[in-house]
Amino acid sequence: MVLGDSLVEVQAAPAGLDVEIRGVSLLDPEDPPTAQPGELVLVIGARGRAAFPALRAAGRDGAAAVVVKLDGPGQAAALSETAAEAGVALLSLRSEARWEQVNALARAALDDAPPGEPDMGAEEGDLFSLAQTTAILTSGIVSIEDTANRVLAYSRTTDSDEADDLRRRSILGWQGPEGYLAKLREWGVFQHLHSSDEVIGIDSHPELGIRRRLAVAIRSGDRQLGTIWVQEGSIPLSERSRQALLGAARVAALHLVRRRRELSDDVTLTRTLLAGLLDGSTGPQPLATHLGFDATRPAAVLGFSYGTTEVYGTAEAYGTTEAHRAREAYETPGGVTAPELTHSEVTNLVSVQIAARHRSALVTQVDPRIYVLLPQLPRGIDTDTLRVWTQEITDAARRHLGLPLRGSVGCLVPGLGDVPESRREADRILDAMVSAGVTVAVAALPDIQAEVLVSEILTLLSARPEIRDPRLTALVSHDSRHQGRLAETLLTYLNCFGDIRAAAAQLHVHPNTLRYRLRRAEQLTGLDLSRPDQRLLAMLQLRLPPTG
C-alpha cells in the first residue's frame, strides 16, 4: 500500500489486500453516496456511523476501498462489520492527516503507474517504489520531498522501524514542521543541498525528537528538484547507504522531470532509441545526439536475469547433476529459488546501484532480462571493474531482496556503434549460465568461455535432430518408459573421465551398481565406450533436451 501505515490503517479487507485501484473520488456528506468500479472513495466529513451509507454504496457499486476517519476506537468494529457485509475494503485515516494530502498522494501514485500498462522499468516506475527500494538498500526509513519540503513519497514502515517525530509529523502534515525546518536551515543543511549533489549527514538530536539522517539533493543539471531523506531506524544504516543514496537521487531525477512534464516526450524517445541501439536496428548517433553522449568513447552492456525459468531454463531438461547443483547454489536461505518480485522492484535496485557508479548509465528491461548500457566509459576502464560493479548489484539483490540475480559483462567496445556486439556477448553468457548450470552469479566471457561455446554447439545440435544418434535417443526413451537412470549414469561417467569411483560418489550409488548400469547401457544401445568418437558424441547428445 503506497499510503502506508503512517497515514492509514486497514480495518477490513474482505477481498484481501491485492485489489486494483483505478481511480480516486471525494465523497462529501451532502452528495448522494455513489462510487465507480475500482475507485478509492475518500469519505470527507462523515465520521463513525455516518459513513455507513457510503460503505454500503461503495460495495454495491464495486468500489475498491473506502477511507474514513474514526471518532473513537469503538467505531472500528461496527464499521468493519458493515464493510465486510458490503464486500469493500475499509481504511481508517489518522485524525491528524489532511484529506487533500491523501487525495494528492493517491492520485500521484496512480499517475506514475497507470493500471493495465506494461512495466517499462525504472523510468516508468513510481516514486513510492523507488523510496521502498532505497529503504531496503540503506536499511533506513526514506522520504522523498520537493524543493518546498512537501512529501512526494515515502517508504513503508513497521513498528520496529522507530520513525522519529520529524518523520511522523512530516508525513501526517504532508510537509516538514516549520520548527524543524528552521533548525535544518540553521545547521546549513538546505544550503548544502542547494549547492551540492553530495550526501550530507545530520546527527541525531534526541532533545528535538530527531534521529540520525542522511540527505541528498535530487538534481537536473544545476537545478534542484527535491531531496531524499533517509532516517536511521531501529538498526544502523548500511555501510553503503551513501552510495545507494546517490544512485537513488539520479533515478529520482528521471521521475521528477517526467512528473513536471518537461521532458516526457524525451523519456519515451530515450527508451525507444536505447532499445534500437541494443538490438542493432538503430545506429548510435540518434541516442548520442539526444543525450549529448560522446559516441566515440568506450561502452559496454551488462545483462541481468532472474526468475525460475531464466535461472534454470533448459538445464532441468538435461536431467544432469549440473541443474541440481545450480538450484542448490541459487536457493535462498528460506528455500525460495525465485521470489515473486515486480519488475519495477528489480529494475529500481539495478538502476540505483549502477547510477551510483556511472552517472550516464541507462537501464531498460527486455523481458525477461534487464540490460544496462554504460556509455562514455573512462578510457582506462577494464572488464574487472565492470565485473565488480555487476557483482555488487547481484550481491545487493541477494542481500536485500533475497533474489538470485545473475549478471553478465558484455565486452568493452570502442564506441556506441559497437554496442550490439556487447549486448550479444552479454546474452551469450547468460544463455550459457542457464543451459550449462553455471553456479557463479557473475561472469564475463573469459570466465566461462568453454561453457559458452559448448552451449552454442548444443544449440546448433538441437536445431538438427536428424544428426542425432538413434541409439542414444532410444536410451533416453528407455529411461523415460522404465523410470531408469542409464542415460544419466552414462553422462556422469563420461563427465568424470571414466573414473568409476568419482562417478559413483556423484550419483550416490555403489561402484558395482554403476558398472552394471554401464554394461546395461552398452547392451541396449550397442555403443562401444572404448571408442573416443562414440564417447564424444554421447557426451554431447546426452546434454541435449530430449526430443518429443
Side-chain angles (χ1 to χ4, degrees):
M1 184 193 306
V2 296
L3 298 178
D5 57 8
S6 295
L7 277 178
V8 299
E9 182 177 353
V10 178
Q11 299 294 342
L17 298 179
D18 190 19
V19 176
E20 181 184 5
I21 294 176
R22 300 195 291 270
V24 183
S25 66
L26 302 173
L27 183 61
D28 190 270
E30 297 181 0
D31 295 336
T34 60
Q36 295 295 320
E39 279 189 334
L40 176 69
V41 182
L42 310 182
V43 182
I44 299 173
R47 297 186 178 223
R49 294 181 178 276
F52 282 178
L55 280 170
R56 297 189 182 103
R60 177 198 67 210
D61 296 336
V66 174
V67 184
V68 301
K69 282 189 176 183
L70 303 178
D71 278 334
Q75 295 178 350
L79 284 167
S80 297
E81 183 179 349
T82 302
E85 292 174 354
V88 66
L90 172 64
L91 310 178
S92 61
L93 180 66
R94 297 184 182 273
S95 58
E96 313 97 303
R98 302 192 332 237
W99 284 110
E100 64 267 29
Q101 173 192 9
V102 180
N103 183 38
L105 288 174
R107 292 181 186 276
L110 288 174
D111 287 344
D112 277 343
E117 289 193 6
D119 191 302
M120 300 305 295
E123 292 181 343
E124 295 296 318
D126 62 84
L127 284 174
F128 286 94
S129 175
L130 177 61
Q132 190 63 28
T133 299
T134 308
I136 291 171
L137 294 173
T138 61
S139 301
I141 307 171
V142 175
S143 61
I144 302 175
E145 300 179 1
D146 64 13
T147 52
N149 304 114
R150 291 184 295 248
V151 178
L152 302 174
Y154 47 86
S155 62
R156 298 183 295 275
T157 59
T158 65
D159 293 339
S160 62
D161 282 330
E162 297 185 13
D164 64 14
D165 190 42
L166 174 54
R167 157 86 178 192
R168 287 190 295 271
R169 292 181 60 182
S170 295
I171 292 177
L172 289 172
W174 199 21
Q175 187 173 10
E178 182 53 41
Y180 291 105
L181 298 179
K183 283 293 183 183
L184 294 176
R185 283 192 287 269
E186 178 184 328
W187 298 332
V189 173
F190 291 126
Q191 181 179 358
H192 173 92
L193 293 171
H194 182 70
S195 60
S196 172
D197 57 3
E198 295 298 318
V199 176
I200 184 174
I202 301 104
D203 293 334
S204 64
H205 291 269
E207 73 281 4
L208 299 174
I210 298 179
R211 287 176 171 263
R212 179 188 172 219
R213 268 175 173 68
L214 297 178
V216 67
I218 304 168
R219 313 186 76 84
S220 176
D222 295 332
R223 188 153 58 96
Q224 183 182 357
L225 303 178
T227 307
I228 302 181
W229 302 85
V230 179
Q231 179 219 305
E232 189 171 72
S234 57
I235 61 175
L237 296 177
S238 63
E239 293 181 2
R240 298 185 177 178
S241 291
R242 290 176 177 265
Q243 187 177 50
L245 205 52
L246 283 173
R250 293 168 185 172
V251 176
L254 298 173
H255 292 280
L256 295 185
V257 165
R258 182 170 60 86
R259 176 169 288 191
R260 291 181 176 210
R261 306 301 181 190
E262 294 175 352
L263 294 175
S264 57
D265 291 340
D266 285 0
V267 170
T268 302
L269 180 58
T270 298
R271 187 170 62 247
T272 301
L273 295 177
L274 174 58
L277 179 61
L278 288 173
D279 66 22
S281 62
T282 304
Q285 204 53 50
L287 183 66
T289 302
H290 177 58
L291 296 178
F293 289 163
D294 183 350
T296 65
R297 286 177 57 182
V301 174
L302 311 180
F304 296 93
S305 69
Y306 67 98
T308 306
T309 303
E310 261 296 285
V311 171
Y312 306 112
T314 56
E316 290 290 7
Y318 297 159
T320 66
T321 53
E322 283 84 351
H324 301 293
R325 287 201 296 269
R327 181 178 294 281
E328 291 171 0
Y330 266 83
E331 280 193 345
T332 60
V336 179
T337 55
E340 296 264 339
L341 297 171
T342 64
H343 292 328
S344 62
E345 285 179 295
V346 182
T347 309
N348 272 339
L349 183 140
V350 174
S351 300
V352 168
Q353 290 284 318
I354 197 62
R357 293 158 180 79
H358 188 59
R359 182 183 295 273
S360 301
L362 296 175
V363 181
T364 190
Q365 177 151 351
V366 181
D367 284 338
R369 292 176 177 172
I370 296 170
Y371 296 97
V372 176
L373 171 63
L374 300 171
Q376 47 189 19
L377 288 165
R379 297 195 183 277
I381 201 167
D382 55 20
T383 299
D384 288 340
T385 301
L386 301 186
R387 189 189 286 105
V388 170
W389 290 359
T390 309
Q391 185 70 57
E392 288 174 345
I393 292 172
T394 60
D395 288 347
R398 175 177 286 277
R399 184 168 59 250
H400 298 296
L401 300 180
L403 178 71
L405 192 66
R406 291 176 181 260
S408 63
V409 181
C411 56
L412 278 161
V413 292
L416 286 183
D418 299 303
V419 159
E421 177 187 348
S422 184
R423 187 263 176 98
R424 282 193 295 272
E425 184 165 300
D427 278 335
R428 291 176 66 198
I429 297 165
L430 287 177
D431 290 343
M433 293 173 82
V434 171
S435 63
V438 176
T439 57
V440 297
V442 171
L445 186 58
D447 304 326
I448 58 169
Q449 187 151 22
E451 289 87 346
V452 169
L453 295 176
V454 169
S455 173
E456 291 173 349
I457 290 171
L458 293 176
T459 299
L460 293 173
L461 291 177
S462 293
R464 298 285 304 278
E466 72 276 9
I467 63 174
R468 299 188 186 190
D469 189 329
R471 298 173 297 178
L472 293 167
T473 302
L475 181 65
V476 173
S477 298
H478 178 275
D479 279 350
S480 178
R481 291 194 306 271
H482 299 282
Q483 291 78 51
R485 299 180 64 187
L486 298 180
E488 179 188 8
T489 299
L490 175 55
L491 180 58
T492 304
Y493 166 77
L494 294 171
N495 286 341
C496 291
F497 301 101
D499 187 327
I500 292 286
R501 293 192 176 277
Q506 199 170 109
L507 292 169
H508 305 291
V509 299
H510 193 277
N512 287 339
T513 301
L514 188 135
R515 292 187 181 95
Y516 167 77
R517 290 182 184 175
L518 292 176
R519 288 196 300 271
R520 180 65 175 151
E522 287 184 304
Q523 291 169 359
L524 287 173
T525 61
L527 289 171
D528 181 358
L529 296 180
S530 66
R531 296 175 57 181
D533 288 348
Q534 294 197 18
R535 293 199 302 270
L536 175 61
L537 180 62
M539 285 189 71
L540 288 173
Q541 185 166 327
L542 291 178
R543 290 177 179 230
L544 293 173
T547 58

